[in-house]
């Protein structure tokens, strides 16, 4: 998957948990997950678990805590699904 | 002295149940034992999570701490939350369709909750905070304001809320929470001294 496809998948995973639909419609890599999209911290755990399933990756607790933006989530997936990470 | 609080609207969580692996992700082994022995597993799970989040809110005012839910350990009796070297007292309140956690390191805080109806959650919880602070200090709620300072690296770019009385800092710690149909707030004096309450902290 390329970056654009991963971004679309991450947004699709986030969508059911978003409490600020207006922010979702203008979502970019800089959009903050908890602040702009108003996903709460419990639902962020659900998002990460769904990302693990969707992309076949493992995300550590520290990595979850470090996520601020949609772009952070996309980069995390790209890093963990890169050929070097999978080797 | 610090306080943290968190409210969970159980009806909202029932509308979209958590991921099947959620509990294993956020709970310790001991907490999972408590959870699986509970007759109301959903209420037990959200009680645990509310306690952890409330403790995070409190401890993050004292020092840098990451919100790794599994690292915030709630005892089997639901009376304390421990994280690394810190231990805080926990008080849970069970409403018919919500659970509220207060976590603190001094005297039991004053807390309250309200249905927010159609009001903006952020506005509704601030109204509640001003009323609660007014009850605590016997002042008019309108004399208080709630501010949050810019904080680089914070989850939304702002630090924890602070209470001002007529525009000046007041010696009360405050914690705000809103979820679904509910808003909740807890206040506790920052110092044990009555004299310090009205002195800038």
């Amino acid at each position: 998957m390329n970056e654009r496809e991963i971004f679309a998948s991450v947004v699709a995973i986030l969508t059911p948990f978003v409490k600020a639909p207006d922010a979702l419609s203008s979502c970019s890599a800089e959009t903050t997950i908890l602040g702009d999209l108003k996903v709460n911290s419990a639902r962020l755990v659900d998002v990460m678990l769904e990302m693990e399933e969707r992309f076949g990756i493992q995300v550590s607790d520290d990595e979850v805590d470090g996520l601020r933006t949609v772009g952070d989530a996309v980069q995390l997936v790209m890093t963990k699904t890169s050929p070097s990470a999978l080797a | 002295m610090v306080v943290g609080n968190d409210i969970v609207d159980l009806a909202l969580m029932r509308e979209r149940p958590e991921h099947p692996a959620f509990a294993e992700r956020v709970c310790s082994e001991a907490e999972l034992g408590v959870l699986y022995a509970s007759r109301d597993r959903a209420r037990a799970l959200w009680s645990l999570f509310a306690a952890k989040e409330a403790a995070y809110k409190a401890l993050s005012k004292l020092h840098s701490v990451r919100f790794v839910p599994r690292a915030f350990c709630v005892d089997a009796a639901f009376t304390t939350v421990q994280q690394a070297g810190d231990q805080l007292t926990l008080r849970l309140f069970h409403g018919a369709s919500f659970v509220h956690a207060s976590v603190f390191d001094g005297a039991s805080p004053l807390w309250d909750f309200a249905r927010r109806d159609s009001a903006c959650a952020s506005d509704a919880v601030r109204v509640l905070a001003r009323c609660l602070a007014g009850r605590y200090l016997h002042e008019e709620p309108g004399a208080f304001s709630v501010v949050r300072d810019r904080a680089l690296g914070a989850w939304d770019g702002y630090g924890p809320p602070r209470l001002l009385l007529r525009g000046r800092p007041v010696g009360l710690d405050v914690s705000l929470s809103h979820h679904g149909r509910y808003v909740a707030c807890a206040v506790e004096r920052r110092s044990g001294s009555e004299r310090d309450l009205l002195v800038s902290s």
Side-chain angles (χ1 to χ4, degrees), chain A residues 16-17 19 32 34-35 40-43 45-46 48-50 52-53 59-66 68, chain B residues 12-13 15-19 21-22 25-26 46 49 53 56 65-70 153-156 179:
Chain A
F17 305 109
K19 296 297 179 198
T32 59
L34 300 179
N40 71 35
S41 56
R43 292 314 196 184
V45 176
D46 284 322
M48 287 304 120
L49 290 166
E50 293 203 14
E52 287 185 341
E53 286 181 354
V59 181
S60 73
D61 290 335
D62 281 343
E63 287 169 330
V64 175
D65 185 65
R68 292 288 178 271
Chain B
L12 188 63
M13 302 315 285
E15 285 176 15
R16 186 182 176 92
E18 70 281 1
H19 189 284
F22 182 93
R25 188 67 180 242
V26 303
W46 295 115
F49 196 87
E53 176 127 10
Y56 167 73
V65 57
R66 291 179 155 233
F67 188 46
V68 176
R70 212 163 16 189
W155 62 274
D156 64 350
H179 185 241

Side-chain angles (χ1 to χ4, degrees), chain A residues 15-31:
Chain A
T15 297
F17 305 109
V18 168
K19 296 297 179 198
D22 290 349
L24 188 63
S25 62
S26 58
C27 185
S28 72
E30 288 74 39
T31 300

Side-chain angles (χ1 to χ4, degrees), chain B residues 162 169-172 190 196 199-201:
Chain B
R162 295 190 297 117
V170 63
L172 282 180
R190 289 185 189 276
D196 293 339
V199 175
S200 169
S201 55

Side-chain angles (χ1 to χ4, degrees), chain B:
Chain B
M1 295 178 188
V2 290
V3 63
N5 92 127
D6 195 58
I7 193 162
V8 177
D9 183 340
L10 297 174
L12 188 63
M13 302 315 285
R14 272 196 296 271
E15 285 176 15
R16 186 182 176 92
E18 70 281 1
H19 189 284
F22 182 93
E24 285 76 10
R25 188 67 180 242
V26 303
C27 295
S28 67
E29 287 295 322
E31 290 164 351
L32 287 174
V34 172
L35 193 58
Y36 295 143
S38 172
R39 282 184 292 182
D40 186 344
R41 192 175 295 185
R43 185 176 285 277
L45 174 61
W46 295 115
S47 297
L48 287 166
F49 196 87
K52 291 165 184 274
E53 176 127 10
Y56 167 73
K57 289 178 181 176
L59 291 177
S60 63
K61 298 172 195 175
L62 297 177
H63 45 72
S64 176
V65 57
R66 291 179 155 233
F67 188 46
V68 176
R70 212 163 16 189
F72 289 78
C73 299
V74 182
D75 72 318
F78 290 86
T79 57
T80 62
V81 185
Q82 188 145 11
Q83 196 270 347
D86 293 304
Q87 180 168 298
L88 299 171
T89 304
L90 166 65
R91 293 284 181 274
L92 285 176
F93 179 84
H94 292 281
S97 59
F98 71 89
V99 60
H100 178 264
S102 303
V103 170
F104 49 96
D105 64 349
S108 186
L110 187 62
W111 77 275
D112 205 353
F113 76 97
R115 289 280 295 250
R116 75 177 173 96
D117 299 318
S118 60
C120 164
S122 181
D123 292 342
V125 76
R126 280 162 175 74
V127 168
L128 183 63
R130 291 198 293 270
C131 290
L132 209 53
R135 277 164 53 192
Y136 203 111
L137 294 181
H138 308 292
E139 293 274 358
E140 284 299 313
F144 293 90
S145 53
V146 181
V147 297
R148 293 181 68 202
D149 304 314
R150 295 286 294 181
L152 202 63
W155 62 274
D156 64 350
Y158 291 89
R162 295 190 297 117
L163 274 169
L164 302 180
L165 174 59
R166 297 186 190 89
R168 299 188 61 191
V170 63
L172 282 180
D173 190 25
V174 64
S175 174
L176 311 178
S177 178
H178 56 81
H179 185 241
R181 298 164 297 164
Y182 298 101
V183 296
C185 174
V187 296
E188 180 191 2
R189 64 181 63 196
R190 289 185 189 276
S191 130
S193 164
E194 189 78 34
R195 188 191 59 181
D196 293 339
L197 265 176
L198 296 173
V199 175
S200 169
S201 55

